[in-house]
């Protein structure tokens, strides 16, 4: 992730995402390298992977798009439509102020997650079992 400024930018993005997903009332959990770092040895990464449960969520596209925009990402809502309609269930978005991207993984099922903290931020991570299976 580079020097301290880069690390600050990365965790700033993670913090904004958590705050905005919470504020939008979305069920979310960080996964990928960020979750692996929480459970074990820190790994470098150039993106943030986050799962969002969408089953039964009214106006999910607007909630996700709004949360991402408020977190500072460039949002093309068509990417969300394609992800949800194609069954691929993943959409990528670029941060406007850093080199990082965010991969949003849409889940039709309830998330298996665990509360935790990273860089002083209380948030949620995909369960260790789910992370291993993924």
């Amino acid at each position: 992730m580079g020097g301290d400024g880069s690390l600050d930018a990365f965790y700033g993005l993670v913090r904004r995402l958590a705050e905005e997903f919470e504020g939008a009332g979305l069920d979310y959990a960080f996964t990928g390298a960020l979750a692996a770092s929480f459970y074990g040895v820190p790994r470098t990464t150039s993106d943030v992977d986050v799962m969002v449960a969408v089953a039964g969520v009214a106006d999910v596209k607007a909630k996700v798009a709004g949360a991402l925009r408020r977190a500072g990402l460039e949002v093309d809502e068509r990417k969300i439509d394609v992800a949800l309609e194609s069954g691929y269930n993943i959409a990528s978005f670029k941060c406007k102020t850093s080199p990082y991207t965010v991969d949003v993984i849409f889940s039709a099922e309830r998330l298996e997650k665990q509360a935790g903290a990273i860089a002083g931020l209380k948030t949620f991570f995909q369960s260790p079992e789910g992370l291993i299976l993924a």
Side-chain angles (χ1 to χ4, degrees), residues 4-128:
D4 290 339
S6 182
L7 196 58
D8 290 344
F10 180 80
Y11 287 120
L13 174 59
V14 170
R15 178 178 307 283
R16 291 190 311 273
L17 286 166
E19 289 170 351
E20 294 304 336
F21 284 143
E22 286 282 338
L26 292 166
D27 183 18
Y28 75 95
F30 291 104
T31 186
L34 188 61
S37 295
F38 171 72
Y39 292 117
V41 178
R43 290 180 40 201
T44 59
T45 184
S46 61
D47 71 348
V48 177
D49 300 313
V50 61
M51 301 173 65
V52 177
V54 296
V57 177
D59 210 12
V60 69
K61 182 172 82 170
K63 287 180 180 177
V64 170
L68 293 171
R69 280 190 186 101
R70 289 186 300 275
L73 293 140
E74 297 173 8
V75 178
D76 178 348
E77 290 187 21
R78 292 172 297 181
K79 289 182 177 183
I80 298 171
D81 289 331
V82 168
L84 293 171
E85 293 168 8
S86 70
Y88 181 59
N89 297 329
I90 299 174
S92 296
F93 305 92
K94 182 164 179 0
C95 181
K96 293 178 182 179
T97 60
S98 76
Y100 302 112
T101 58
V102 174
D103 293 334
V104 178
I105 304 155
F106 297 99
S107 174
E109 299 176 11
R110 188 177 160 272
L111 299 181
E112 297 287 330
K113 63 186 184 177
Q114 181 173 323
I118 193 162
L121 171 69
K122 290 182 181 178
T123 190
F124 299 98
F125 298 94
Q126 184 179 18
S127 71

